Coordinates of all heavy atoms in Angstrom, one line a residue:
M20 N 116.0 77.6 107.5 CA 116.0 76.1 107.5 C 114.6 75.7 107.9 O 114.0 76.2 108.9 CB 117.0 75.6 108.4 CG 117.1 74.1 108.3 SD 118.4 73.3 109.4 CE 119.8 73.6 108.5
N21 N 114.0 74.9 107.1 CA 112.6 74.5 107.4 C 112.6 73.3 108.4 O 113.6 72.8 108.8 CB 111.9 74.1 106.1 CG 112.5 72.9 105.5 OD1 113.0 72.0 106.1 ND2 112.4 72.8 104.1
T22 N 111.4 73.0 108.9 CA 111.2 72.0 110.0 C 111.7 70.6 109.6 O 112.4 70.0 110.4 CB 109.7 71.9 110.4 OG1 109.3 73.2 110.7 CG2 109.5 71.0 111.5
V23 N 111.5 70.2 108.4 CA 112.0 68.9 107.9 C 113.5 68.8 108.0 O 114.1 67.9 108.5 CB 111.4 68.6 106.5 CG1 112.0 67.3 106.0 CG2 109.9 68.5 106.5
S24 N 114.1 69.9 107.5 CA 115.6 69.9 107.5 C 116.1 69.9 108.9 O 117.1 69.3 109.2 CB 116.1 71.2 106.7 OG 115.7 71.1 105.4
M25 N 115.5 70.7 109.8 CA 115.9 70.7 111.1 C 115.8 69.4 111.8 O 116.6 68.9 112.6 CB 115.2 71.8 111.9 CG 115.6 73.2 111.5 SD 114.7 74.6 112.2 CE 114.9 74.3 113.9
N26 N 114.7 68.7 111.5 CA 114.5 67.3 112.1 C 115.5 66.4 111.6 O 116.0 65.5 112.3 CB 113.0 66.8 111.8 CG 112.0 67.5 112.7 OD1 112.3 67.9 113.8 ND2 110.8 67.6 112.2
N27 N 115.8 66.5 110.3 CA 116.8 65.6 109.7 C 118.2 65.9 110.3 O 118.9 64.9 110.6 CB 116.9 65.8 108.2 CG 115.8 65.2 107.5 OD1 115.1 64.3 108.0 ND2 115.5 65.7 106.3
L28 N 118.5 67.1 110.6 CA 119.8 67.5 111.2 C 119.8 66.9 112.6 O 120.8 66.3 113.1 CB 120.0 69.0 111.2 CG 121.2 69.5 112.0 CD1 122.5 68.9 111.4 CD2 121.2 71.0 111.9
W29 N 118.7 67.1 113.4 CA 118.6 66.5 114.7 C 118.8 65.0 114.8 O 119.5 64.5 115.6 CB 117.3 67.0 115.4 CG 117.2 66.4 116.8 CD1 116.3 65.5 117.2 CD2 118.0 66.8 117.9 NE1 116.5 65.3 118.6 CE2 117.5 66.1 119.0 CE3 119.0 67.7 118.1 CZ2 118.1 66.2 120.3 CZ3 119.6 67.8 119.3 CH2 119.1 67.0 120.4
N30 N 118.1 64.3 113.8 CA 118.3 62.9 113.8 C 119.7 62.5 113.4 O 120.3 61.5 114.0 CB 117.3 62.3 112.7 CG 115.9 62.4 113.2 OD1 115.6 62.3 114.3 ND2 115.0 62.5 112.2
Y31 N 120.4 63.2 112.6 CA 121.8 63.0 112.2 C 122.6 63.1 113.5 O 123.5 62.3 113.8 CB 122.2 63.9 111.1 CG 123.7 63.9 110.9 CD1 124.3 62.8 110.2 CD2 124.6 64.9 111.3 CE1 125.6 62.7 109.9 CE2 125.9 64.8 111.1 CZ 126.4 63.7 110.4 OH 127.8 63.7 110.2
L32 N 122.4 64.3 114.2 CA 123.3 64.5 115.4 C 123.0 63.5 116.4 O 124.0 63.0 117.1 CB 122.9 65.9 115.9 CG 123.4 67.1 115.1 CD1 122.8 68.4 115.7 CD2 124.9 67.1 115.0
Q33 N 121.8 63.0 116.6 CA 121.5 62.0 117.6 C 122.2 60.7 117.2 O 122.5 59.9 118.1 CB 120.0 61.8 117.7 CG 119.3 62.8 118.5 CD 117.8 62.6 118.6 OE1 117.2 62.2 117.7 NE2 117.3 62.8 119.8
G34 N 122.4 60.4 115.9 CA 123.0 59.2 115.5 C 124.5 59.2 115.6 O 125.1 58.1 115.5
L35 N 125.1 60.3 115.9 CA 126.6 60.4 116.1 C 126.9 59.8 117.5 O 126.2 60.1 118.4 CB 127.1 61.8 115.9 CG 126.9 62.4 114.6 CD1 127.3 63.9 114.7 CD2 127.7 61.7 113.5
S36 N 128.1 59.2 117.5 CA 128.6 58.8 118.9 C 129.5 59.8 119.3 O 130.7 59.9 118.9 CB 129.2 57.4 118.8 OG 130.3 57.4 117.9
M37 N 129.0 60.7 120.2 CA 129.8 61.8 120.7 C 130.1 61.7 122.1 O 129.3 61.2 122.9 CB 129.0 63.2 120.4 CG 128.8 63.5 119.0 SD 128.3 65.2 118.7 CE 126.7 65.2 119.5
T38 N 131.3 62.1 122.5 CA 131.7 62.1 123.9 C 131.1 63.3 124.5 O 130.6 64.2 123.9 CB 133.3 62.2 124.0 OG1 133.7 63.4 123.4 CG2 134.0 61.0 123.3
S39 N 131.2 63.3 125.8 CA 130.7 64.5 126.6 C 131.4 65.8 126.1 O 130.7 66.8 126.0 CB 130.9 64.2 128.1 OG 130.5 65.3 128.8
S40 N 132.7 65.7 125.9 CA 133.4 66.9 125.5 C 132.9 67.4 124.1 O 132.9 68.6 123.8 CB 134.9 66.8 125.5 OG 135.3 65.8 124.6
N41 N 132.6 66.4 123.2 CA 132.1 66.7 121.9 C 130.8 67.4 122.0 O 130.5 68.4 121.3 CB 131.9 65.5 121.0 CG 133.2 64.8 120.6 OD1 133.2 63.6 120.5 ND2 134.3 65.5 120.4
R42 N 129.9 66.9 122.9 CA 128.6 67.5 123.0 C 128.7 69.0 123.6 O 128.0 69.9 123.1 CB 127.7 66.7 124.0 CG 127.3 65.4 123.3 CD 126.5 64.6 124.2 NE 126.2 63.3 123.6 CZ 125.5 62.3 124.1 NH1 125.0 62.5 125.3 NH2 125.3 61.2 123.5
K43 N 129.6 69.1 124.5 CA 129.8 70.5 125.1 C 130.3 71.4 124.0 O 129.9 72.6 123.9 CB 130.8 70.4 126.3 CG 130.2 69.8 127.5 CD 131.2 69.8 128.6 CE 130.7 69.0 129.8 NZ 131.7 68.9 130.9
W44 N 131.3 70.9 123.2 CA 131.8 71.8 122.1 C 130.7 72.2 121.1 O 130.6 73.3 120.7 CB 132.9 71.0 121.3 CG 133.5 71.7 120.2 CD1 134.5 72.6 120.2 CD2 133.0 71.6 118.8 NE1 134.8 73.0 118.9 CE2 133.9 72.5 118.1 CE3 132.0 70.9 118.2 CZ2 133.7 72.7 116.7 CZ3 131.8 71.1 116.8 CH2 132.7 72.0 116.1
L45 N 129.9 71.2 120.7 CA 128.8 71.5 119.8 C 127.8 72.5 120.4 O 127.4 73.4 119.7 CB 128.1 70.2 119.4 CG 126.9 70.3 118.5 CD1 127.3 71.0 117.2 CD2 126.2 69.0 118.2
A46 N 127.4 72.3 121.7 CA 126.5 73.2 122.3 C 127.1 74.6 122.4 O 126.4 75.6 122.1 CB 126.2 72.7 123.7
K47 N 128.4 74.7 122.7 CA 129.0 76.0 122.7 C 129.0 76.7 121.4 O 128.7 77.9 121.2 CB 130.5 75.9 123.2 CG 131.2 77.3 123.4 CD 132.6 77.1 123.9 CE 133.3 78.4 124.1 NZ 133.1 79.4 123.1
K48 N 129.3 75.9 120.3 CA 129.3 76.5 119.0 C 127.9 77.0 118.6 O 127.7 78.1 118.0 CB 129.7 75.5 117.9 CG 131.2 75.2 118.0 CD 132.0 76.3 117.6 CE 133.5 76.0 117.6 NZ 134.3 77.1 117.2
L49 N 126.8 76.2 118.9 CA 125.5 76.6 118.6 C 125.1 77.9 119.4 O 124.4 78.8 118.9 CB 124.5 75.5 118.9 CG 124.6 74.3 118.0 CD1 123.8 73.1 118.5 CD2 124.2 74.6 116.6
I50 N 125.4 77.9 120.7 CA 125.1 79.1 121.5 C 125.9 80.3 121.0 O 125.3 81.4 120.9 CB 125.4 78.8 123.0 CG1 124.4 77.8 123.5 CG2 125.4 80.1 123.8 CD1 124.8 77.3 124.9
D51 N 127.1 80.2 120.6 CA 127.9 81.3 120.1 C 127.3 81.8 118.8 O 127.3 83.0 118.6 CB 129.4 80.9 119.9 CG 130.2 80.7 121.2 OD1 129.7 81.1 122.2 OD2 131.3 80.1 121.1
A52 N 126.9 80.9 117.9 CA 126.3 81.3 116.7 C 125.0 82.1 116.9 O 124.7 83.1 116.2 CB 126.0 80.1 115.8
T53 N 124.2 81.7 117.9 CA 123.0 82.4 118.2 C 123.3 83.7 118.8 O 122.6 84.7 118.5 CB 122.2 81.5 119.3 OG1 121.9 80.3 118.7 CG2 120.9 82.2 119.6
A54 N 124.3 83.8 119.7 CA 124.6 85.1 120.3 C 125.1 86.1 119.3 O 124.8 87.3 119.4 CB 125.7 84.9 121.3
E55 N 125.7 85.7 118.2 CA 126.2 86.6 117.2 C 125.0 87.2 116.4 O 125.2 88.3 115.8 CB 127.1 85.9 116.2 CG 128.4 85.5 116.8 CD 129.3 84.7 115.9 OE1 128.9 84.4 114.8 OE2 130.3 84.2 116.4
T56 N 123.9 86.6 116.3 CA 122.8 87.0 115.5 C 121.8 88.0 116.3 O 120.9 88.5 115.7 CB 121.9 85.9 114.9 OG1 121.4 85.1 116.0 CG2 122.8 85.0 114.0
V57 N 122.1 88.1 117.6 CA 121.2 89.0 118.4 C 121.5 90.5 118.0 O 122.6 90.9 117.9 CB 121.4 88.8 119.9 CG1 120.7 89.8 120.7 CG2 121.1 87.4 120.3
T58 N 120.4 91.2 117.7 CA 120.6 92.6 117.3 C 120.0 93.5 118.4 O 118.9 93.2 118.9 CB 119.8 92.8 116.0 OG1 120.2 91.9 115.0 CG2 120.0 94.2 115.5
N59 N 120.7 94.5 118.8 CA 120.2 95.4 119.8 C 119.4 96.5 119.2 O 119.3 96.7 118.0 CB 121.4 96.0 120.7 CG 122.3 96.8 119.9 OD1 121.9 97.6 119.0 ND2 123.6 96.8 120.2
D60 N 118.7 97.3 120.1 CA 117.8 98.3 119.6 C 118.5 99.4 118.8 O 117.9 99.9 117.8 CB 117.2 99.0 120.8 CG 116.2 98.1 121.6 OD1 115.8 97.1 121.0 OD2 115.8 98.5 122.7
D61 N 119.7 99.8 119.1 CA 120.4 100.8 118.3 C 120.7 100.3 116.9 O 120.6 101.1 116.0 CB 121.7 101.2 119.0 CG 121.5 102.0 120.3 OD1 120.4 102.7 120.4 OD2 122.4 102.0 121.2
E62 N 121.1 99.0 116.8 CA 121.3 98.5 115.4 C 120.1 98.5 114.6 O 120.1 98.8 113.4 CB 121.9 97.1 115.5 CG 123.3 97.1 116.1 CD 123.8 95.7 116.4 OE1 123.0 94.8 116.7 OE2 125.1 95.5 116.2
I63 N 118.9 98.2 115.3 CA 117.7 98.1 114.5 C 117.3 99.6 114.1 O 116.9 99.8 113.0 CB 116.6 97.5 115.4 CG1 116.8 96.1 115.7 CG2 115.2 97.7 114.8 CD1 116.0 95.4 116.7
R64 N 117.4 100.5 115.0 CA 117.1 101.9 114.7 C 118.0 102.4 113.5 O 117.6 103.1 112.6 CB 117.3 102.8 115.9 CG 116.2 102.9 116.8 CD 116.3 103.9 117.8 NE 115.6 103.5 119.0 CZ 116.2 103.0 120.1 NH1 117.5 102.9 120.2 NH2 115.5 102.6 121.1
Q65 N 119.3 102.1 113.6 CA 120.2 102.5 112.5 C 119.8 101.9 111.2 O 119.9 102.6 110.2 CB 121.7 102.1 112.9 CG 122.7 102.5 111.9 CD 124.1 102.1 112.3 OE1 124.3 101.3 113.3 NE2 125.1 102.6 111.6
G66 N 119.5 100.6 111.2 CA 119.1 100.0 110.0 C 117.8 100.6 109.4 O 117.7 100.8 108.2
L67 N 116.8 100.8 110.2 CA 115.6 101.4 109.8 C 115.8 102.9 109.2 O 115.3 103.3 108.2 CB 114.6 101.5 110.9 CG 113.9 100.1 111.2 CD1 113.1 100.3 112.5 CD2 113.1 99.6 110.1
T68 N 116.7 103.6 109.9 CA 117.0 105.0 109.5 C 117.6 104.9 108.1 O 117.3 105.7 107.2 CB 117.9 105.7 110.5 OG1 117.3 105.7 111.7 CG2 118.3 107.1 110.0
E69 N 118.6 104.0 107.9 CA 119.2 103.9 106.6 C 118.2 103.5 105.5 O 118.3 104.0 104.4 CB 120.4 102.9 106.7 CG 121.1 102.7 105.4 CD 122.3 101.8 105.5 OE1 122.7 101.5 106.7 OE2 122.8 101.3 104.5
A70 N 117.4 102.5 105.9 CA 116.4 102.1 104.9 C 115.4 103.2 104.5 O 115.2 103.4 103.3 CB 115.6 100.9 105.5
F71 N 115.0 104.0 105.4 CA 114.1 105.1 105.1 C 114.8 106.2 104.3 O 114.2 106.8 103.4 CB 113.4 105.7 106.4 CG 112.3 104.8 106.9 CD1 112.4 104.3 108.2 CD2 111.2 104.5 106.1 CE1 111.4 103.5 108.7 CE2 110.2 103.7 106.7 CZ 110.3 103.2 107.9
C72 N 116.1 106.4 104.6 CA 116.9 107.4 103.8 C 117.0 106.9 102.4 O 116.8 107.7 101.4 CB 118.2 107.6 104.4 SG 118.2 108.6 105.9
Q73 N 117.2 105.6 102.2 CA 117.4 105.1 100.8 C 116.0 105.2 100.1 O 116.0 105.5 98.9 CB 117.9 103.7 100.9 CG 119.3 103.5 101.3 CD 119.8 102.1 101.4 OE1 119.0 101.2 101.2 NE2 121.0 101.9 101.8
L74 N 114.9 104.9 100.8 CA 113.6 105.0 100.2 C 113.3 106.5 99.8 O 112.8 106.7 98.7 CB 112.5 104.6 101.2 CG 111.1 104.6 100.7 CD1 110.9 103.7 99.5 CD2 110.2 104.2 101.8
E75 N 113.7 107.5 100.6 CA 113.6 108.9 100.2 C 114.4 109.2 98.9 O 114.0 109.9 98.0 CB 113.9 109.8 101.3 CG 113.0 109.8 102.5 CD 111.5 110.2 102.1 OE1 111.4 111.1 101.3 OE2 110.6 109.5 102.5
E76 N 115.6 108.6 98.8 CA 116.5 108.8 97.7 C 115.8 108.2 96.4 O 115.9 108.8 95.3 CB 117.8 108.2 97.9 CG 118.7 108.9 98.9 CD 120.0 108.2 99.2 OE1 120.3 107.1 98.6 OE2 120.7 108.7 100.1
V77 N 115.2 107.1 96.6 CA 114.5 106.4 95.4 C 113.3 107.3 95.0 O 113.2 107.6 93.8 CB 113.9 105.0 95.8 CG1 113.0 104.5 94.8 CG2 115.1 104.1 96.0
K78 N 112.5 107.9 95.9 CA 111.4 108.7 95.6 C 111.9 110.0 94.9 O 111.2 110.5 94.1 CB 110.6 109.1 96.9 CG 109.8 107.9 97.4 CD 109.1 108.3 98.7 CE 108.3 107.2 99.2 NZ 107.6 107.5 100.5
A79 N 113.1 110.5 95.3 CA 113.6 111.7 94.8 C 114.3 111.5 93.4 O 114.8 112.4 92.8 CB 114.5 112.4 95.8
G80 N 114.5 110.2 93.0 CA 115.1 109.9 91.8 C 116.6 109.9 91.9 O 117.4 109.9 90.9
K81 N 117.2 109.9 93.1 CA 118.6 109.9 93.3 C 119.2 108.5 93.5 O 120.4 108.4 93.5 CB 119.0 110.7 94.6 CG 118.6 112.2 94.6 CD 118.9 112.9 95.9 CE 118.5 114.3 95.9 NZ 118.6 114.9 97.2
R82 N 118.3 107.5 93.6 CA 118.8 106.2 93.7 C 118.0 105.3 92.8 O 116.8 105.4 92.7 CB 118.7 105.7 95.2 CG 119.1 104.3 95.4 CD 118.9 103.9 96.9 NE 119.8 104.5 97.7 CZ 121.0 103.9 98.1 NH1 121.3 102.7 97.7 NH2 121.8 104.5 98.9
K83 N 118.7 104.4 92.1 CA 118.0 103.5 91.2 C 117.7 102.2 91.9 O 118.5 101.8 92.7 CB 118.8 103.3 89.9 CG 119.0 104.5 89.1 CD 119.1 104.2 87.7 CE 119.4 105.5 87.0 NZ 118.5 105.8 85.9
T84 N 116.6 101.5 91.5 CA 116.3 100.2 92.0 C 116.2 99.2 90.9 O 116.2 99.5 89.7 CB 114.9 100.3 92.8 OG1 113.9 100.7 91.8 CG2 115.0 101.3 93.9
R85 N 116.1 98.0 91.3 CA 115.9 96.9 90.4 C 114.5 96.3 90.5 O 113.9 96.4 91.6 CB 116.9 95.8 90.6 CG 118.3 96.3 90.3 CD 119.3 95.2 90.4 NE 119.6 94.8 91.8 CZ 120.3 93.8 92.1 NH1 120.8 93.0 91.3 NH2 120.5 93.5 93.4
K86 N 114.1 95.6 89.5 CA 112.8 94.9 89.6 C 113.0 93.7 90.6 O 114.0 93.1 90.7 CB 112.4 94.4 88.2 CG 112.0 95.5 87.3 CD 111.6 95.0 86.0 CE 111.2 96.1 85.0 NZ 110.8 95.6 83.7
A87 N 111.9 93.3 91.2 CA 111.9 92.1 92.1 C 112.3 90.9 91.4 O 113.0 90.0 92.0 CB 110.5 92.0 92.7
E88 N 112.0 90.7 90.1 CA 112.3 89.5 89.4 C 113.9 89.4 89.3 O 114.4 88.3 89.4 CB 111.7 89.5 88.0 CG 110.2 89.4 88.0 CD 109.5 90.7 88.2 OE1 110.1 91.8 88.2 OE2 108.3 90.6 88.4
E89 N 114.5 90.5 89.1 CA 116.0 90.5 89.0 C 116.6 90.0 90.3 O 117.6 89.3 90.3 CB 116.5 91.9 88.6 CG 116.2 92.4 87.3 CD 116.6 93.8 87.0 OE1 117.6 94.2 87.7 OE2 116.1 94.4 86.1
L90 N 116.0 90.5 91.4 CA 116.6 90.1 92.7 C 116.3 88.6 92.9 O 117.2 87.9 93.5 CB 115.9 90.9 93.8 CG 116.2 92.4 93.9 CD1 115.3 93.1 94.9 CD2 117.7 92.6 94.1
L91 N 115.2 88.1 92.5 CA 114.9 86.7 92.7 C 115.8 85.8 91.8 O 116.2 84.7 92.3 CB 113.4 86.4 92.3 CG 112.4 86.9 93.2 CD1 111.0 86.7 92.7 CD2 112.5 86.2 94.6
Y92 N 116.2 86.3 90.7 CA 117.1 85.5 89.8 C 118.5 85.3 90.5 O 119.2 84.4 90.2 CB 117.3 86.1 88.4 CG 116.0 85.9 87.6 CD1 115.5 87.0 86.9 CD2 115.4 84.7 87.5 CE1 114.3 86.8 86.1 CE2 114.3 84.5 86.7 CZ 113.7 85.6 86.0 OH 112.6 85.4 85.3
E93 N 118.9 86.3 91.3 CA 120.2 86.2 92.1 C 120.2 85.1 93.0 O 121.2 84.5 93.4 CB 120.5 87.5 92.8 CG 120.9 88.6 91.9 CD 121.3 89.9 92.6 OE1 121.6 89.8 93.8 OE2 121.4 90.9 92.0
L94 N 119.0 84.7 93.6 CA 118.9 83.6 94.5 C 119.1 82.3 93.8 O 119.6 81.4 94.2 CB 117.6 83.7 95.3 CG 117.3 85.0 96.1 CD1 115.9 84.9 96.6 CD2 118.3 85.1 97.2

């Protein structure tokens, strides 16, 4: 999300008439969502190991890849 979108979201949230319990609920949801995205060192190592293994398979001709343009069209 870019800065403009985040500012718009913040302005929207400030415009809502929320009770104290609503604010606590929203804060908890935002904190929970952040906690779920934290990656530990082992997960990072595992991901890098898998990526390098796949790269070796590509170099050995055992794995096919797609052009970057094809990936962009999926977005």
